[in-house]
Amino acid sequence: MKKAQKIILQVLAALAVIILIISISLHKKETSYTQEELLMDTYIKITAYGTDQKVLEEAVTKAFLSIKELEKITNRYYAPGTDEYQNSDICQLNEKAGLEEVKVSADTYEIIKKALYFGELSQGSFNIAIGPVMDLWGFGGNNKKVPEDGLLEEALKLTNLKDIALNEEQKSVFLTKPGMKLDLGGVAKGYGAAKAAEILKTEGIEKALIDAGGNIVVIGEKEPGQSWKIAIQDPSDLKKYFGILKLTDQAAVTSGDYQRYFESEGIRYHHIIDPATGKPGNKGSSVTVVAEDSAIADILSTTLFVLGKEKAVELAAKLNMDGSFGNIEFVFIEKDGSYYVSQGLESKFTLEGNR
Ligand code: ADP
Ligand code: MG
């Protein structure tokens, strides 16, 4: 080799090394930031991934702030006479039931509107006016007990969704009968998780995992070309997973008979009420709904649980035909452990262990 050629080769090699060093230093390492807080009566955990710690921290903090704000306006359990009670839309609405309409915040109005839409669609299986019935059972407090049938019958008279009047222009809501009580427990967490996800995205986050007490939202992919793996609990053995769902840019929300319950005389009573009877729904063990919007997934997980599998299939088909809420898919686990996976999830669901 001539000397000149040798020099050219050496220069090229040196250049290659320099380019490699520059590209490595430009490609910053991925890092993550996690925050966990007890909010909305559950643990909420958000992990955001990216290259800049400060950006991640700020985004996650903002997301939590919005969930905190949401809790303040939707919580119905603040003590009368406190500032919190005064500032909570739901405390105010419930206090003014039968008396006057209440102007509410944009978020509260939006939640109520969405909830009523699905309430109507499910012929009342999703019912945010379930408050008086929840209170008889003592869910939300420390004194849980099985109520007498007569009392349940009376309380059920206060759960008619037609007795909720919305005023779109004023963004006000009127519970027209005294004693009515809204309870957003079946939708607030999902709505909060959806809002948190929106905020993270606005802040430039492209990869994150939100877990709001079983209301999961994943942003982006876990790794390039690789979905997030989300476990579905086994209702009959909470130490085990029933199955795994692979998700990308989606929400998954589970409603189950094992999440919140008490036992009386050997019988287990859980917190998802069938508004047709005023008693815990008994048509299944758990439902996991996968949708784009976690508020919708939250509403539907409760709704499909109450409806039971057959009607759940019908409702999901109807929604998917219409398409307004994107694709709605679900896994329904029956009380005997048998299960149903909707078509769109078949390739995303793996049964766990030795079933
Ligand atoms: P979790 O709160 O455990 O995530 P869900 O999303 O299914 O479970 O919500 C259950 C909560 O929703 C109850 O604690 C109660 O506040 C409320 N709720 C109970 N039954 C109904 C119903 N039929 N429709 C709407 N909300 C309900
Ligand atoms: Mg729900």
Side-chain angles (χ1 to χ4, degrees):
M1 203 183 289
K2 280 185 196 155
K3 205 175 170 193
Q5 270 179 327
K6 224 175 178 177
I7 289 172
I8 289 173
L9 269 181
Q10 276 170 350
V11 168
L12 281 179
L15 267 178
V17 170
I18 290 168
I19 289 169
L20 193 71
I21 290 170
I22 290 174
S23 68
I24 286 173
S25 66
L26 279 181
H27 183 84
K28 281 196 208 148
K29 250 189 104 162
E30 185 183 75
T31 174
S32 68
Y33 176 76
T34 301
Q35 200 172 313
E36 187 168 4
E37 286 192 49
L38 185 59
L39 283 171
M40 293 187 158
D41 205 20
T42 191
Y43 277 100
I44 300 189
K45 186 175 174 181
I46 302 179
T47 302
Y49 298 79
T51 51
D52 188 332
Q53 266 298 316
K54 209 166 153 247
V55 170
L56 300 179
E57 201 172 324
E58 265 179 33
V60 172
T61 304
K62 273 192 188 168
F64 266 105
L65 272 179
S66 83
I67 299 176
K68 277 177 208 161
E69 284 308 310
L70 200 63
E71 173 169 33
K72 283 185 192 160
I73 56 175
T74 59
N75 188 336
R76 73 182 182 97
Y77 294 111
Y78 295 122
T82 60
D83 283 351
E84 284 95 341
Y85 184 86
Q86 216 58 34
N87 294 330
S88 158
D89 286 337
I90 303 305
C91 289
Q92 291 305 305
L93 268 172
N94 292 349
E95 185 181 273
K96 304 276 165 57
L99 297 173
E100 58 183 284
E101 63 177 8
V102 174
K103 205 166 154 34
V104 296
S105 71
D107 280 323
T108 304
Y109 193 84
E110 168 97 11
I111 294 176
I112 292 175
K113 213 172 137 182
K114 265 192 182 144
L116 289 180
Y117 177 86
F118 285 96
E120 199 170 314
L121 198 69
S122 64
Q123 286 161 344
S125 288
F126 190 76
N127 188 329
I128 51 166
I130 203 73
V133 175
M134 293 304 289
D135 288 352
L136 276 184
W137 286 94
F139 286 114
N142 294 322
N143 187 21
K144 299 186 183 67
K145 58 184 182 301
V146 181
E148 287 168 26
D149 283 351
L151 290 176
L152 275 180
E153 246 169 69
E154 284 308 305
L156 279 172
K157 288 181 188 156
L158 300 171
T159 63
N160 197 332
L161 294 177
K162 295 213 164 56
D163 295 330
I164 303 173
L166 297 190
N167 184 330
E168 184 83 38
E169 246 166 58
Q170 297 284 325
K171 294 278 181 287
S172 68
V173 182
F174 183 26
L175 307 182
T176 57
K177 280 191 182 166
M180 284 179 78
K181 281 180 196 165
L182 291 194
D183 178 331
L184 302 185
V187 52
K189 272 179 282 172
Y191 188 89
K195 242 193 137 187
E198 275 319 305
I199 288 170
L200 292 182
K201 285 186 209 165
T202 310
E203 294 295 308
I205 305 298
E206 291 171 352
K207 175 175 166 185
L209 176 66
I210 301 171
D211 180 355
N215 289 242
I216 308 281
V217 182
V218 298
I219 298 178
E221 295 179 311
K222 179 80 175 80
E223 302 298 339
Q226 201 184 310
S227 305
W228 296 86
K229 287 183 184 152
I230 302 300
I232 297 178
Q233 259 183 324
D234 185 339
S236 66
D237 184 350
L238 299 185
K239 291 190 285 304
K240 286 193 194 150
Y241 295 148
F242 189 88
I244 303 285
L245 279 173
K246 283 191 188 157
L247 304 178
T248 303
D249 270 319
Q250 276 165 314
V253 180
T254 300
S255 284
D257 62 4
Y258 55 85
Q259 285 167 326
R260 284 163 206 244
Y261 62 86
F262 67 95
E263 269 170 34
S264 171
E265 294 177 14
I267 300 175
R268 193 193 264 203
Y269 298 94
H270 63 80
H271 71 138
I272 305 171
I273 301 296
D274 183 345
T277 61
K279 296 178 181 176
N282 63 1
K283 298 198 178 86
S285 216
S286 90
V287 182
T288 302
V289 174
V290 175
E292 279 161 31
D293 178 346
S294 87
I296 303 295
D298 193 8
I299 291 176
L300 284 174
S301 69
T302 311
T303 311
L304 301 191
F305 179 92
V306 171
L307 284 173
K309 197 206 95 187
E310 306 302 326
K311 286 196 174 151
V313 170
E314 279 173 29
L315 186 69
K318 199 166 163 183
L319 285 167
N320 286 335
M321 192 99 88
D322 172 72
S324 307
F325 301 99
N327 217 24
I328 305 294
E329 304 291 341
F330 67 100
V331 177
F332 196 109
I333 305 177
E334 305 278 8
K335 284 200 264 186
D336 65 3
S338 62
Y339 68 101
Y340 167 86
V341 179
S342 66
Q343 212 181 0
L345 279 186
E346 277 171 6
S347 63
K348 310 262 164 71
F349 175 80
T350 333
L351 200 60
E352 199 44 21
N354 47 4
R355 285 177 174 277

